[in-house]
Amino acid sequence: MTTFLPCDIDELRTLFLFEKLSDDQLTWLCEHGHIELVTPGMLYREGDEATSFYVLMDGGVALYRRVGEDDVEVSRTTQRGVYAGAWASYLGERAQTYTQSLRVLEPSRFYVLAAGDFAALMNDWFPMAVHLLEGLFFGQSKAQQAIGQRERLLALGSLSAGLTHELNNPAAAASRATATLRQRVAGMRHKLALVAAGPYDRATLATLIALQEKAVDTLAAGRGDAALSPLEISDREDELTDWMDDHDLTNGWEIAPVFVAAGLGTEWLENVAQLVGPDVLEGAVRWLAYTLETEQLMNEVEDATSRISALVGAAKQYSQIGRAPDQIADIHELLDSTLTMLEQRLGPDITVVRHYDPALPKIPVYAAELNQVWTNLVDNAAQAMDGHGTLTVTTRTVDEWVEVEIADTGSGIPPEVIGRVFEPFFTTKPVGSGTGLGLDISWRIVVGKHHGDLSVTSVPGDTRFRVRLPRTLSEGPTA
């Protein structure tokens, strides 16, 4: 309910907004505007046509901003003279809607001026100020848009370079292993001809084939075992070489590393010697060495191609190619794909520790955008640690939220600026190395698009960014 009341220029003069105006200007305000007494309730909503400029004479109000589907209170006040509504109407057709919602908390009086009259007032009384404000408003908007695009392109370029490097290593390994494998297969064909022409009876050949299968099985069973130290490998190779010298095998040092890599020692070769006899021992051992080396090379090819497949899968998961914009997603999969994509960026001296809650539920998210959040937070952590430290990624369920915490052991954020890190264009990085939009973009994605929360705590050696996401998306706006 609204009641119209008389306007008094002496009362207007008591407000800080009007205290420097002349009597003629105050009279103009009273002639073109009026005083309203408003009962508690929503005065106007964000997105509605901006028709009026409001100045609080007395009472109490709360200001709300739309965050996704929710109205979030950003401030409340009883200070006389605060203003809201169509305050940007002097920008013309580009500012025709309210940029926030205003709720009256108690019976309150407002000075009210129509948007058109306020725009005329600003342009007539303060033309230079209007030009300066227009330049600031639209210049910042264009800069934010342009730099935001640049920020995303730089991130994409960095990720692409890292992914290319990561793909190059297993691809080169597969290529080398394939070339060597071709040589070994050719050698096996030659050795097969020698075996066929040599002193091997049926029983010996059957024994040799059985040993071949047993050697392959031993190699397969040993995959994934703890690696030997360089000193242990050297000692075992020397031991095998001595054994081959004792049994008159020529150049045993050439094939000893193959048996060591397969986990086969002198005891196993001694068994081979007892089964095949001394006259065919060298041919049998070399045949088995060819078999083992061929298997090892095929394992290398398999490992390399599996690594390539995993990287491509991570890239697809990261970019969410072919996926719906909102989906039920596994947060752990999103985090792992991002960490894989940033593996090169983190480097060998940053230890990544995962503390994942195995019971963490899948939740509805915009996955591609959320991966951008993880990228910004992990990349910031890597820069803060300057290539050395521990990155800890923790997931947990807190009430109705899924919480992701990304912590680093870097230098920390100074207490005097920590409250500003989510502001657009604000950065603690050196000049030329940051745009100040990474955390602002992350804030918009988490808070604006997912109706969640993004916060940070920091002391030297322990900086923690916490992302909270609702377990269910809000189905409608709140009043």
Side-chain angles (χ1 to χ4, degrees):
M1 180 179 176
T2 301
T3 303
F4 294 91
L5 302 173
C7 177
D8 182 359
I9 66 170
D10 290 329
E11 185 179 25
L12 290 183
R13 188 180 286 111
T14 64
L15 304 177
F16 68 86
L17 193 62
F18 302 140
E19 62 184 358
K20 300 297 184 180
L21 298 182
S22 66
D23 287 348
D24 289 342
Q25 289 172 321
L26 292 171
T27 299
W28 187 95
L29 288 176
C30 280
E31 289 175 351
H32 290 79
H34 59 274
I35 305 298
E36 291 183 8
L37 175 62
V38 182
T39 56
M42 194 65 75
L43 185 59
Y44 60 78
R45 290 187 178 277
E46 180 178 345
D48 291 346
E49 181 182 359
T51 59
S52 300
F53 172 71
Y54 295 89
V55 181
L56 182 65
M57 306 293 291
D58 53 58
V61 295
L63 196 66
Y64 295 82
R65 292 296 302 270
R66 179 64 53 83
V67 179
E69 300 296 334
D70 303 323
D71 287 336
V72 177
E73 182 178 321
V74 294
S75 67
R76 62 171 56 204
T77 183
T78 58
Q79 182 181 355
R80 299 180 70 248
V82 295
Y83 57 91
W87 60 269
S89 58
Y90 56 84
L91 297 175
E93 294 181 356
R94 294 165 290 187
Q96 293 296 309
T97 59
Y98 291 119
T99 58
Q100 69 280 313
S101 301
L102 189 70
R103 179 184 291 276
V104 179
L105 303 177
E106 58 185 85
S108 303
R109 288 190 310 131
F110 295 90
Y111 170 76
V112 184
L113 185 64
D117 289 333
F118 180 69
L121 175 156
M122 290 293 294
N123 283 281
D124 291 343
W125 296 0
F126 314 109
M128 182 177 177
V130 168
H131 290 307
L132 292 173
L133 290 170
E134 282 184 334
L136 176 64
F137 181 82
F138 293 111
Q140 188 179 47
S141 297
K142 290 179 180 179
Q144 183 170 352
Q145 182 180 11
I147 296 178
Q149 293 174 346
R150 178 67 172 170
E151 180 94 3
R152 288 187 287 271
L153 287 173
L154 287 174
L156 180 60
S158 177
L159 288 171
S160 298
L163 180 61
T164 301
H165 181 85
E166 288 294 326
L167 286 171
N168 181 66
N169 290 337
S175 179
R176 289 192 302 268
T178 302
T180 306
L181 183 60
R182 181 175 289 109
Q183 296 175 358
R184 295 299 178 265
V185 171
M188 287 188 71
R189 289 197 300 266
H190 176 70
K191 183 62 66 176
L192 183 61
L194 295 178
V195 169
Y200 298 92
D201 56 28
R202 171 178 281 182
T204 301
L205 285 175
T207 300
L208 188 58
I209 292 172
L211 287 170
Q212 183 182 38
E213 295 300 321
K214 188 174 181 180
V216 171
D217 290 342
T218 303
L219 174 63
R223 292 192 72 187
D225 289 351
L228 299 174
S229 68
L231 182 60
E232 290 174 323
I233 291 175
S234 178
D235 290 344
R236 293 193 182 190
E237 288 177 357
D238 290 343
E239 185 180 356
L240 279 173
T241 301
D242 292 341
W243 185 92
M244 293 179 189
D245 290 342
D246 293 341
H247 289 76
D248 300 322
L249 273 65
T250 57
N251 297 328
W253 56 270
E254 294 179 336
I255 58 176
V258 176
F259 288 98
V260 172
L264 301 175
T266 55
E267 184 178 348
W268 193 86
L269 287 179
E270 193 66 46
N271 182 53
V272 173
Q274 294 175 2
L275 290 173
V276 300
D279 53 336
V280 296
L281 178 60
E282 180 161 359
V285 170
R286 291 192 175 277
W287 172 261
L288 293 172
Y290 272 118
T291 300
L292 289 171
E293 190 172 11
T294 301
E295 285 293 321
Q296 290 166 358
L297 288 169
M298 287 191 291
N299 288 342
E300 288 182 26
V301 173
E302 180 184 8
D303 291 342
T305 53
S306 296
R307 175 62 177 165
I308 292 172
S309 179
L311 285 167
V312 172
K316 182 177 180 180
Q317 173 71 20
Y318 180 86
S319 62
Q320 295 298 301
I321 297 173
R323 303 291 290 274
D326 55 338
Q327 58 193 272
I328 304 298
D330 186 335
I331 295 298
H332 296 156
E333 289 183 0
L334 302 183
L335 288 166
D336 286 339
S337 69
T338 302
L339 291 171
T340 299
M341 293 290 290
L342 294 175
E343 187 172 342
Q344 180 65 25
R345 176 73 179 86
L346 292 171
D349 295 325
I350 291 181
T351 302
V352 178
V353 178
R354 294 171 171 86
H355 293 312
Y356 288 172
D357 179 359
L360 198 75
K362 294 183 178 182
I363 60 173
V365 297
Y366 293 86
E369 287 89 341
L370 206 55
N371 280 336
Q372 189 176 0
V373 174
W374 311 143
T375 299
N376 290 334
L377 297 183
V378 172
D379 187 60
N380 281 351
Q383 292 190 36
M385 291 185 285
D386 196 22
H388 299 81
T390 300
L391 177 76
T392 304
V393 183
T394 306
T395 64
R396 60 178 72 93
T397 302
V398 180
D399 298 326
E400 295 302 315
W401 303 88
V402 165
E403 184 174 275
V404 177
E405 181 181 85
I406 297 179
D408 67 73
T409 56
S411 56
I413 304 171
E416 62 270 16
V417 301
I418 194 170
R420 301 186 59 196
V421 295
F422 299 114
E423 294 180 10
F425 303 109
F426 180 82
T427 178
T428 59
K429 299 173 185 176
V431 175
S433 62
T435 63
L437 284 177
L439 291 178
D440 172 61
I441 291 171
S442 299
W443 171 272
R444 292 173 183 273
I445 292 172
V446 173
V447 179
K449 200 155 192 177
H450 289 86
H451 326 318
D453 184 58
L454 176 58
S455 61
V456 59
T457 59
S458 181
V459 295
D462 185 14
T463 297
R464 299 170 183 262
F465 281 89
R466 293 184 179 89
V467 176
R468 283 192 173 186
L469 301 166
R471 297 175 66 172
T472 57
L473 285 178
S474 173
E475 297 183 359
T478 57

